[in-house]
Structure formats: C-alpha cells, structure tokens
Amino acid sequence: MGKIGRNDKCPCGSGKKYKNCCMDKSNIIKPDFKNLRATPIVSSGLDKMKAMVMEEMGYSSAEKFEIDFKRYTDFMESDEGQNSEMSFREFMGEKSNTAEFNRELKRALEKEGLMSDDETQKFIKKFTSEYNLKPKKKFLGLSSKQLALLLEDCEGFTELDKKLNSIVNFKKGSFKSDLSNIEVVKIFKFIIDEFSEDKEGFIKITRTGEFSVSFINKIRKELFNETHKNIKSNKLHEYDIWKVEVVHKLLYYYNFVEHKKGFCFLKEDFCSLLEGAKNDYDESLWYLVFDFVFFKLKWSELFYYQDVFQDTLDFFGKIKMFSFYALHHLDVKLKGGWIRPLDFFELIKEAFPEFVDNEKIPKAASAFLFVTNFLENICFGLGLIESDYESFSFWDNPEMSFRCTDLFRELFKWKV
C-alpha cells in the first residue's frame, strides 16, 4: 500500500479523511459529537444508562422503552435527523435544561478547535463556571448559581437569610401593613378564642383528629358570612379549608394542643407565648404560620394527590423561593398592576420545563393545579397577594387577576 495522503479516505473504513480520523495527532483530540452516539459502549454500562433513563422518565416496561429508543435512533440516522442535536428526552417531548447546556458546550468546543485532553478538560471547567454565573432570561435574570441557592433547603429564617444574602433580605418584624384582616390571622385568633374560659375551653374533634364539621361551619358562618342554608347544603371538613387545616397542624406540630377523648385542648405553653406577644399579637401569629408553612410543613401535605405524585410535589416545594421571585419580577414589570395566574404559570413553565411538561401527570393534578394552589393557599392565604374578586379561586373565576400587596414588598427585599 502506498503512502496515505492527508486528504485520502481513512483505511479504517469510517469514510472520513485520513487527517480527521486515524492520522497520528500526538495526543490532540477533537470531540466528534455528531458520531458520538455510534461510539461502542460496554453492554453493562449501556444497560445501567438505559435503566437510569427508564427510571427517570417513568417507564414501567423495558419493552416500551426499547421501542421508543429504536424510534429515536432511526430518526437520528435519517436524513431529517442527521444534523439534529435532539436528545432522547426531547424526542419524547420533554424539555431539558441539561440538553440546552450540552448544546452550548458543543458549539463552544467546536469553535475552539483542536485541543489536548488536558486543555479540553480545563476549557469545559471554565465554560461551566462561566455558564453558571451568566444571567439567563428563562430564570428571569438569575444565574444558574443564584437559582441553585434559591432551591436549597433551609431550616429557618436565620439560615435562609445567610444563604441568600446576596439575592434577597427578609424583614423580620414591625410591618407597616395591617395584618389583622388577613384570613389566616383571623382564623388563628378565632380558634384560640374558642379555647378561652369564657367559651367552652375546648373544640370537638373527629375520630381522625380533625376539627368537627360543626366547628368548621361555625368558622364559615362567623368569619366568612356564609348563610345557614349554604352550610346545610355543603358541609365542609377541616381539610376543605386550607387555612384552618394549617393552623390546626401548626398547633399540633409545636405541641401547643392535646387531643383527649374527642376534644382538643390548648396547653399552657401556648398561653404563655401569647402573653409575651400582646404588643404585636397579629404579627406573632402571622409569623408562626409563615415559618411553619415555609420551613416545617412539607408542601406535599398542602395538596391532594400527595401519595401519587410525591416527587412532583416535593419538587414544587423546592421552587418556592423562585416562585416568590417570579411574583416579584411580575410586580416590578407591571408596576404593581394586576397579574393573570396564567402569566405567572408561564414563568414557572419556562424555568422548569421538565417539571411542567410531564405527561405522566393527569390533567386533574397538573402543574398548573399546583401553581394555582400556591397562589391561593400560600400567597393569598398569607396576605401576600390580593384578588380582584372577593375571594381567590381561579377555578370559580377563570378571568380573575391578582396583585402583590405591600406586605409582600415589605417581607422580601430583592437585590436582583
């Protein structure tokens, strides 16, 4: 065989020019991303990778996965897919932040040209660091690093304030806003008042430990001005009124009440706590609820379907700080104006497509349901937003809008 020219076809049969294939490059590499999928992988490694993808994407059948994966490989080898950068997840209809990062890295490496192994590793490390510090439109101007901080779990305000000091500060008291008319504060005070000596001193509970239906009806009648006719025709339980359920869970979590023989009694510990909070009574109650909901209570407990969609609900709990940031973003953008729930949902969808675009979740338990619950139960319930309707219920009033309150702007002082 004569000498192989640089531009001759490589004798290995790859179809590439010799200079781009087996010609000695003295440790110089150029990643061949286009043909990366054809690189041989040991069967055990491939099996592990497939098993991981199957689990993450919710496949219950290996046969179904193999069929879909065959469709994907056939597409990638077709004329239409030859120049595609689509990942398997994207082919199956899922959006992925990781896939977007990989595409940007690929383009950067191709632009950089030939590099040694060490140079490539250093370049990837530098690129990743810069990528994580770069503000991103889909994260509303936050960098990946800032977003990661917002997603971290914290046990209380002190830890949260320390971790997020460069992004947001929290006001810890002396609000100018009137907290007395916030529904959760009114309900809290109403329940505590039921334990007073001039009332019965206890509240009846069911066998499952919930407040009785008659007590729930009493709250509805005296706080929400619901008529006796409405109460008779639509009996609600504790879990049907989120704010009542949360206050009861809070009292039980902190061991402020005890259940005994079908009755709920308030302990002396909580009475002493109230004595020390006379000057800022409403504020103390509001902070107790906010701290409990934000740090102590699993958000999966706030919604139905918690047993079926535990992972999705837990993830929604992790994005709570970003959700507050998204509200701030819309509040600034609209200059304190009215916001549609769908507009808020679109921001969450853009930032976390893998959470929202999940076909495994039926329509009744969609991500939009979780978002509206966040707005209705958390934000409206704690007085952080107000509605252009008398109450906040998107399902009853699809055309409704909301806006952030002065309390929301007092509580969060965003620096980004």
Side-chain angles (χ1 to χ4, degrees), residues 220 226-234:
R220 294 172 64 196
E226 295 193 25
T227 64
H228 186 67
K229 181 180 179 181
N230 287 338
I231 292 174
K232 271 192 169 182
S233 62
N234 184 23

Side-chain angles (χ1 to χ4, degrees), residues 242-258:
W242 176 83
K243 292 173 282 291
V244 176
E245 183 182 20
V246 163
V247 171
H248 193 184
K249 281 180 180 287
L250 180 156
L251 291 169
Y252 197 73
Y253 176 87
Y254 288 114
N255 202 28
F256 290 144
V257 295
E258 62 177 335

Side-chain angles (χ1 to χ4, degrees), residues 161-180:
D161 217 3
K162 186 177 180 180
K163 281 187 177 181
L164 302 182
N165 186 52
S166 62
I167 302 174
V168 62
N169 288 135
F170 303 90
K171 190 176 178 65
K172 300 178 183 66
S174 303
F175 291 113
K176 295 179 182 177
S177 303
D178 182 12
L179 307 182
S180 62

Side-chain angles (χ1 to χ4, degrees), residues 256-274:
F256 290 144
V257 295
E258 62 177 335
H259 293 171
K260 191 174 181 181
K261 295 182 179 180
F263 298 98
C264 180
F265 299 90
L266 194 65
K267 290 187 175 181
E268 287 297 323
D269 291 351
F270 188 70
C271 297
S272 301
L273 185 69
L274 294 181

Side-chain angles (χ1 to χ4, degrees), residues 195-246:
F195 290 113
S196 62
E197 292 181 1
D198 56 332
K199 297 271 178 97
E200 291 184 274
F202 57 82
I203 298 173
K204 289 182 180 179
I205 56 175
T206 65
R207 290 182 179 179
T208 56
E210 300 168 0
F211 289 145
S212 65
V213 172
S214 61
F215 181 64
I216 299 301
N217 287 338
K218 186 176 182 180
I219 292 176
R220 294 172 64 196
K221 183 179 180 182
E222 297 192 23
L223 289 186
F224 304 130
N225 297 318
E226 295 193 25
T227 64
H228 186 67
K229 181 180 179 181
N230 287 338
I231 292 174
K232 271 192 169 182
S233 62
N234 184 23
K235 290 186 176 181
L236 296 183
H237 298 269
E238 177 183 304
Y239 52 77
D240 292 312
I241 304 179
W242 176 83
K243 292 173 282 291
V244 176
E245 183 182 20
V246 163

Side-chain angles (χ1 to χ4, degrees), residues 138-182:
K138 64 182 178 182
F139 297 151
L140 309 179
L142 295 175
S143 67
S144 298
K145 187 174 182 179
Q146 288 173 319
L147 178 66
L149 287 173
L150 290 183
L151 298 182
E152 284 188 14
D153 290 328
C154 296
E155 294 185 359
F157 272 112
T158 302
E159 184 184 354
L160 191 70
D161 217 3
K162 186 177 180 180
K163 281 187 177 181
L164 302 182
N165 186 52
S166 62
I167 302 174
V168 62
N169 288 135
F170 303 90
K171 190 176 178 65
K172 300 178 183 66
S174 303
F175 291 113
K176 295 179 182 177
S177 303
D178 182 12
L179 307 182
S180 62
N181 289 319
I182 295 176

